[in-house]
Amino acid sequence: MPAPGRRRVPGAVLLLVSMAVLHTGSALATELFRSLGPAGTTWLRLTFAAAVLLAFTGRSLGRTLRAASRRDVLATVLLGAVSAGMMLLFSEAAARLPLGTATALEFLGPLAVAVAASKRRAELGWLALAAGGVLLLTSPWTGTAGLAGVLFGLGAGACWALYVLGTAHVGSRFSAAHGLAMSLTVATLVAAPFGVPGVVGHLTWGAVAAVAGIAVLMPLVPFLLEMRALQRLGATAYGTLAGLEPAVSLLAGVVLVAQTPTVVQVAGTALVVAAGIGAARREDGG
């Protein structure tokens, strides 16, 4: 319970801040893909973030683990594996597609969670609207978006859907810091076979410093904020509020890495965002 007279920050605010920080980190990380590769960059970010959290939680994490049930520990391990898959697949998609397009593909996962949680057939219309937006973003008739990038984005979306459900469970059993310390440690181990080969022989002190800084922006701060947000939001509210993610990602790509979207891509992003907002309004309206 919050202290008397002290207001908690709303989950929606935490989620919006998380998105801004997340996509800033994702945009900056693409600058390291050439030297370290998408998987190598992702693994290093996970490693730095996990190390910081393990140092921060210290002995209290050990006490928490000893007191936790086997089921809750297993759920955290599974969340870590899903987190690794989500980040690895998204990085591979972002290496092949514009950031806004990769994020829109990934967003289909949490939107599907929101639609499924609503248990209304009418909500399928929002999912169809988002799919139409993704179709404009990828424009398969032009051949500009490679199939590999699209498949990586969809795979990241499937992992994101599982991440939403897993984070809600883990966040209800552990504090955000403890849950994230455990899950990111697992994620680091899961991502190692994919990331280490790209790092060996290519790591410089400059790259280490850059990755360490980016790790704070993604995944450390956003994941902490997301876990706290999911402690205050339901899965459906989370999934629909995340509808703004493609727009934030598109903006980050424009401002930070000079990715200029076409009119069709902007229209596609608008459709995906409209689907998320529409589903949120529908939920609020009962």
Side-chain angles (χ1 to χ4, degrees):
M1 295 290 292
R6 183 179 175 183
R7 293 184 179 180
R8 295 197 312 172
V9 178
V13 173
L14 292 176
L15 193 55
L16 289 172
V17 174
S18 170
M19 285 191 284
V21 176
L22 169 72
H23 292 294
T24 298
S26 294
L28 295 176
T30 60
E31 299 294 295
L32 296 171
F33 286 175
R34 288 185 180 180
S35 57
L36 301 175
T41 303
T42 299
W43 174 70
L44 281 175
R45 285 156 57 197
L46 285 168
T47 300
F48 278 114
V52 169
L53 280 170
L54 288 174
F56 176 74
T57 54
R59 295 180 180 178
S60 63
L61 179 59
R63 292 194 296 268
T64 299
L65 274 172
R66 288 191 293 271
S69 68
R70 184 175 300 179
R71 179 180 178 182
D72 290 341
V73 172
L74 178 59
T76 308
V77 170
L78 293 175
L79 177 62
V82 167
S83 299
M86 179 177 67
M87 289 187 63
L88 285 169
L89 290 168
F90 178 78
S91 292
E92 293 292 348
R96 295 165 172 81
L97 301 169
L99 279 171
T101 301
T103 303
L105 285 163
E106 188 185 34
F107 170 67
L108 292 178
L111 181 58
V113 171
V115 170
S118 71
K119 298 179 181 180
R120 298 189 184 103
R121 288 188 178 182
E123 300 301 290
L124 292 174
W126 300 119
L127 194 56
L129 185 64
V134 167
L135 193 64
L136 290 179
L137 281 163
T138 56
S139 300
W141 54 86
T142 65
T144 54
L147 179 60
V150 172
L151 292 177
F152 279 128
L154 292 174
C159 289
W160 194 0
L162 295 173
Y163 172 82
V164 172
L165 300 175
T167 301
H169 177 87
V170 172
S172 67
R173 267 56 174 191
F174 302 102
S175 70
H178 287 157
L180 196 58
M182 290 186 283
S183 64
L184 285 186
T185 300
V186 173
T188 298
L189 297 175
V190 171
F194 305 96
V196 171
V199 171
V200 174
H202 298 91
L203 200 58
T204 64
W205 286 113
V208 169
V211 173
I214 293 172
V216 175
L217 298 176
M218 170 55 179
L220 187 56
V221 171
F223 278 20
L224 277 171
L225 292 175
E226 278 188 338
M227 189 166 287
R228 287 191 179 277
L230 275 167
Q231 289 172 339
R232 303 172 191 185
L233 293 171
T236 300
Y238 172 91
T240 49
L241 279 171
L244 293 173
E245 293 252 10
V248 176
S249 183
L250 182 74
L251 182 60
V254 171
V255 174
L256 298 174
V257 291
Q259 292 181 349
T260 305
T262 65
V263 173
V264 173
Q265 288 172 331
V266 171
T269 301
L271 288 180
V272 176
V273 171
I277 294 175
R281 288 174 62 86
R282 177 66 177 172
E283 181 195 6
D284 291 340

